[in-house]
Amino acid sequence: AQSVTQLGSHVSVSEGALVLLRCNYSSSVPPYLFWYVQYPNQGLQLLLKYTSAATLVKGINGFEAEFKKSETSFHLTKPSAHMSDAAEYFCAVSVNSGYSTLTFGKGTMLLVSP
Amino acid sequence: DVKVTQSSRYLVKRTGEKVFLECVQDMDHENMFWYRQDPGLGLRLIYFSYDVKMKEKGDIPEGYSVSREKKERFSLILESASTNQTSMYLCASSVGTSGGQETQYFGPGTRLLVL
């Protein structure tokens, strides 16, 4: 079985500062890894995903994440935070099974101050 | 664009009522999912379906059932609602042909309050 741990339920940054949201996974087989974002009162939308093609994955809105097998990590970064980045971020893991079921982390709320 | 719609954004029900949550997707996706989202717990999978009339239990199926009579529609049923089922319910769909690397597309969610 796979699992995901997101370190920090809340992360606060100033506008223009680096954003770093941490995700560690556990999987007995090579994983697929995802970051989703949820803006207030909305569903989740995909930011980016790792499907083994490249370890550095670029997503929407200037976010990127790097898959590090040795550290079992898939941390999300953005060089410069914007007020509009304030949202909840979820890391998720899947494996190459017949169904695309995801196991989600508990989420990290990103707060951006002016 | 893929569109996943949920029948209600907010719902208030009484304990013991039978509750139906409806989800419709317009992209001919094979897979559909129901999650519940609670603060500090993230999203947890209740049930999913990979074809019409087919269903599989997720991590927390107790107290819920599902129905998929048509490919585009996936219903979540609370047979006898209880206060511990007060939550945000999210529906999602995916293509169903590419295994674990598929993107799931989410609806806006239904916030259910059981009194």
Side-chain angles (χ1 to χ4, degrees), chain B residues 1 9 13-15 21 24-25 28 30-31 34 41-43 50 58 64 72 74 77 80 83 90 98 105 113 115:
Chain B
D1 269 357
R9 293 299 304 272
K13 296 293 181 181
R14 298 279 181 193
T15 303
L21 303 183
V24 177
Q25 50 94 3
D28 202 36
E30 302 289 335
N31 295 342
W34 275 108
L41 297 180
L43 278 75
Y50 53 91
Y64 303 94
E72 68 271 18
F74 191 36
I77 303 155
S80 177
T83 55
L90 290 163
S98 303
Y105 297 88
L113 173 62
L115 299 174

Side-chain angles (χ1 to χ4, degrees), chain B residues 50-97:
Chain B
Y50 53 91
D51 201 351
V52 174
K53 297 191 186 295
M54 306 305 290
K55 61 185 180 184
E56 292 285 343
K57 293 180 180 179
D59 300 317
I60 52 164
E62 297 78 18
Y64 303 94
S65 62
V66 290
S67 172
R68 194 169 180 198
E69 297 296 320
K70 293 185 177 182
K71 191 174 186 180
E72 68 271 18
R73 188 179 297 269
F74 191 36
S75 301
L76 180 70
I77 303 155
L78 287 66
E79 295 289 343
S80 177
S82 64
T83 55
N84 62 13
Q85 293 179 309
T86 290
S87 187
M88 168 74 94
Y89 290 89
L90 290 163
C91 176
S93 70
S94 70
V95 172
T97 58

